[in-house]
Amino acid sequence: MLATAGRMTITRFAPSPTGRLHVGNIRTALHNWMLAQKLGGKFLLRIDDTDPERSKEEYVEAIRADLAWLGMHPDGEERQSLRLERYDAAFDVLKEAGRVYPAYETAQELELKRKVLLGRGLPPIYDRGALDLSDEERAAKEAEGIQPHWRFKLDHDEAIAWEDGVRGASKFDPKLLSDPVIRRADGSWLYMLPSAVDDVEMGVTHVLRGEDHVSNTAVQIQMFTALYAAGFGAASDAQKTHPEFAHEALLVGTEGKLSKRLGSLGCDALRDKHIEPEALVAMLARLGTSLPVEPIADSAKLLETFDLSTFGRAPAKFDDAELERVNTAIVHAFDYADVSDRLPTGMDEAGWHAVRPNVANMGEVAEWWRLVTGPIEQLEFSDEDKAFLAQAAEALTWGDDPWGALTSALKESTGRKGKALFLPLRQALTGMNHGPDMGELLPLIGEEEARKRLQCSGQ
Ligand code: GLU
């Protein structure tokens, strides 16, 4: 029985608004959104903006807009900068309980300690030097004007273990972890405690994030326990449990690591490349799982197979070419109604159907549609072809199937067939050697324009 069983699922996506979302964190957002959908719960957007210097309102807006573009609508939004007094309250109870302590080392001193340990081949774990200070020594530091930063005191006797939704049974020896700094000397917060406080107070049941957070989870599990023990948080005992945790393998580029490019590849760049949000969602939903990436535009369909047990531990490879393939397949499955508001003026359902198989993405639609509206490129023809095209202009009739009628008539009258019959006609009518089905295109070009194009080429 899972600890959070019986509670409404609440997941959260918690970006820091210090930049734009990239495919890596979009993937985390998506999986949290899917998990909430799948379990009939809620998906929260939590803006981790405790760093006032680096957090920017424009990024908050961009995050909201990106999620909306991708079809992920949060059921609520929270902001850490509006909850500072909650972190103060948690801090106070933890301090009272002896679970946070002041430390006075400078960054240089800490770095030196690290180097010494590493030099001896030991893990660079904080030595808890600050705990050895007497009250007088602390008072002396403060008299010198040195303000402390604050660390969370891990309980070395409390083994840390959890059943990870992706990684399975996971455990950490707390002695092998440094007591994390949770608050800077200026009173500002580091990520660790506010996140745990929020997860408690927002009733988060599932934390699904990248595996770079595994050791944070170990620390935060002790924070949840310490907070509950100190009387902070949930009203009922049943709720006094930490969320389920799942850590997904990181996203890497085809070259095998999270490249700079991938780390900054976001919605704007993808939109510029005419990637549909459905394509990105379809790909990210399954990347790194045992399920195949398929061009599934309907997120309800993707949800049917969404299951953390399909997530693998190997890094998930993000391949642009694969995204483009998925995108093309999704575009090819769009009905007219799906795209009607994005088509060039005058392009109707028949136009979309004619052009659709030829486009790799929506950015190519206008280009193909120009074959209908013109102007088209005027190609050079041999004298023989010119005569043939002049004849075609004469033979053109306008019924249900002008292309069928034209080609049959010309086949009959000229004896031409195959490429010799079709190619000069296509070239004269579109200025191109290949393109949409002529049977669909010719009625869209229209009789008068078609005749004109044939005549021009036949001269
Ligand atoms: N703001 C944190 C990050 O972006 C959130 C991590 C978490 O999901 O707890 O890494």
Side-chain angles (χ1 to χ4, degrees):
M1 178 89 156
L2 297 176
T4 51
R7 287 167 60 185
M8 185 210 270
T9 297
I10 300 184
T11 67
R12 88 293 195 281
F13 171 52
S16 305
T18 53
R20 292 294 300 264
L21 298 183
H22 56 74
V23 285
N25 42 34
I26 290 170
R27 174 167 168 259
T28 306
L30 176 67
H31 292 159
N32 277 285
W33 178 79
M34 293 181 85
L35 191 59
Q37 300 293 307
K38 180 90 187 182
L39 301 177
K42 291 197 159 133
F43 165 68
L44 303 179
L45 170 61
R46 187 185 86 198
I47 304 291
D48 283 6
D49 58 349
T50 50
D51 182 343
E53 307 263 278
R54 293 178 58 227
S55 300
K56 299 240 166 4
E57 203 51 36
E58 66 186 89
Y59 293 133
V60 175
E61 278 158 25
I63 289 167
R64 288 189 195 120
D66 287 348
L67 292 181
W69 182 64
L70 292 157
M72 292 180 237
H73 301 286
D75 298 295
E77 184 180 308
E78 299 281 354
R79 283 184 86 125
Q80 292 198 322
S81 58
L82 300 177
R83 293 179 40 79
L84 299 179
E85 78 273 19
R86 299 309 303 147
Y87 312 142
D88 282 333
F91 181 80
D92 289 345
V93 297
L94 291 179
K95 197 166 145 202
E96 186 70 19
R99 296 301 297 271
V100 295
Y101 63 91
Y104 297 84
E105 293 94 341
T106 62
Q108 289 87 331
E109 282 166 342
L110 291 172
E111 189 48 32
L112 192 62
K113 287 187 187 203
R114 257 175 64 82
K115 283 209 175 119
V116 170
L117 289 169
L118 287 172
R120 288 194 210 139
L122 296 169
I125 303 165
Y126 176 60
D127 64 3
R128 293 187 156 177
L131 283 177
D132 298 333
L133 295 177
S134 64
D135 286 349
E136 292 74 44
E137 284 168 319
R138 272 197 291 271
K141 295 267 184 203
E142 290 187 26
E144 276 177 55
I146 305 175
Q147 289 297 316
H149 53 273
W150 297 84
R151 288 184 186 262
F152 175 74
K153 188 175 168 203
L154 290 164
D155 180 347
H156 283 181
D157 298 325
E158 182 197 326
I160 303 169
W162 74 93
E163 187 60 30
D164 193 285
V166 174
R167 298 161 64 88
S170 305
K171 57 178 191 221
F172 268 82
D173 178 352
K175 292 191 222 44
L176 299 179
L177 297 168
S178 292
D179 289 339
V181 176
I182 56 167
R183 198 169 196 180
R184 299 185 188 89
D186 65 3
S188 65
W189 295 101
L190 283 116
Y191 153 76
M192 209 73 89
L193 181 65
S195 181
V197 168
D198 289 346
D199 288 338
V200 166
E201 296 204 318
M202 292 166 198
V204 170
T205 55
H206 295 75
V207 172
L208 170 55
R209 55 191 177 188
E211 66 182 11
D212 50 332
H213 281 286
V214 168
S215 62
N216 291 343
T217 293
V219 166
Q220 286 173 331
I221 283 180
Q222 283 214 354
M223 284 183 175
F224 286 111
T225 312
L227 286 167
Y228 288 132
F232 185 90
S236 79
D237 280 349
Q239 291 177 359
K240 291 184 178 173
T241 169
H242 65 72
E244 311 285 339
F245 286 98
H247 297 86
E248 51 187 15
L250 298 182
L251 202 59
V252 295
T254 38
E255 65 285 0
K257 51 182 192 297
L258 181 77
S259 59
K260 253 201 151 130
R261 192 189 66 77
L262 212 54
S264 63
L265 180 63
C267 294
D268 279 355
L270 293 168
R271 251 192 308 264
D272 285 350
K273 286 171 71 185
H274 305 285
I275 298 294
E276 303 296 320
E278 292 90 341
L280 186 62
V281 165
M283 171 137 145
L284 293 180
R286 294 210 176 154
L287 212 57
T289 74
S290 56
L291 302 167
V293 169
E294 291 174 310
I296 301 173
D298 179 0
S299 60
K301 280 244 153 56
L302 289 168
L303 280 172
E304 281 169 18
T305 54
F306 179 79
D307 187 344
L308 285 185
S309 70
T310 64
F311 281 57
R313 293 191 58 172
K317 279 211 170 114
F318 184 93
D319 179 357
D320 293 82
E322 184 174 26
L323 178 59
E324 277 165 28
R325 280 195 298 275
V326 170
N327 192 54
T328 300
I330 281 191
V331 168
H332 286 178
F334 277 155
D335 285 327
Y336 176 65
D338 298 324
V339 291
S340 59
D341 55 348
R342 296 199 276 157
L343 298 179
T345 345
M347 186 170 185
D348 57 6
E349 188 160 1
W352 170 240
H353 285 154
V355 159
R356 183 173 60 179
N358 286 81
V359 298
N361 59 57
M362 292 302 290
E364 293 180 2
V365 174
E367 211 177 298
W368 287 112
W369 185 239
R370 202 182 39 77
L371 302 190
V372 169
T373 57
I376 58 157
E377 200 181 330
Q378 195 62 50
L379 302 180
E380 279 299 319
F381 292 95
S382 65
D383 288 345
E384 214 181 320
D385 279 349
K386 279 183 183 167
F388 168 68
L389 291 167
Q391 207 174 331
E394 296 284 314
L396 188 68
T397 53
W398 215 250
D400 279 349
D401 175 17
W403 176 252
L406 177 67
T407 49
S408 320
L410 289 169
K411 189 172 177 186
E412 182 89 34
S413 61
T414 66
R416 286 196 185 215
K417 54 184 190 216
K419 199 172 160 192
L421 172 67
F422 297 114
L423 187 60
L425 291 173
R426 174 182 286 285
Q427 288 172 326
L429 287 164
T430 68
M432 309 245 332
N433 295 326
H434 67 284
D437 182 81
M438 287 306 299
E440 293 187 55
L441 210 55
L442 187 54
L444 298 166
I445 294 171
E447 182 176 9
E448 199 184 325
E449 176 69 13
R451 181 164 290 115
K452 214 159 73 194
R453 291 182 190 178
L454 291 170
Q455 277 165 347
C456 267
S457 305
Q459 281 168 8

